[in-house]
Amino acid sequence: MKTASHCFFIFGHSLATNDDHILNRIARGKFRKLCVGIYGEPASTDNQRIMNHANELAVQRNKKLPLDVVFYDAATVHVWGLGLEAE
């Protein structure tokens, strides 16, 4: 989490408070972009909580190394290059 030129992807994680020790490291990191997977309706209560928590990490970030948080549809990505479509 110390490299300033890379991005960090989160896939399949709820950003729950019990993982704040990890999330605090993200907030203190130097990478410039955080990509967070959202599964299902973005307006759902759970996804809104995840999105708010991720955006809070950007607010905590040092202003000299801003964090750009983007959200992606976790249901449509092919993680690790695996095609999950039916054969």
Side-chain angles (χ1 to χ4, degrees):
M1 298 195 197
K2 296 181 180 183
T3 304
S5 62
H6 298 287
C7 59
F8 192 89
F9 277 82
I10 296 177
F11 180 82
H13 196 286
S14 65
L15 302 184
T17 56
N18 62 319
D19 289 319
D20 275 349
H21 61 289
I22 297 168
L23 302 175
N24 289 336
R25 296 289 304 235
I26 291 172
R28 292 192 318 259
K30 293 183 179 179
F31 55 88
R32 300 194 181 272
K33 184 172 280 194
L34 175 64
C35 303
V36 180
I38 299 298
Y39 187 80
E41 180 59 43
S44 73
T45 302
D46 286 337
N47 283 335
Q48 285 296 303
R49 184 191 53 73
I50 290 169
M51 294 166 79
N52 289 338
H53 204 162
N55 286 323
E56 181 59 32
L57 297 175
V59 170
Q60 294 174 31
R61 180 61 76 88
N62 180 327
K63 301 300 181 218
K64 292 181 182 180
L65 289 169
L67 180 61
D68 179 25
V69 179
V70 296
F71 302 98
Y72 65 92
D73 182 356
T76 62
V77 298
H78 297 287
V79 179
W80 304 288
L82 298 176
L84 301 178
E85 54 275 346
E87 295 185 16

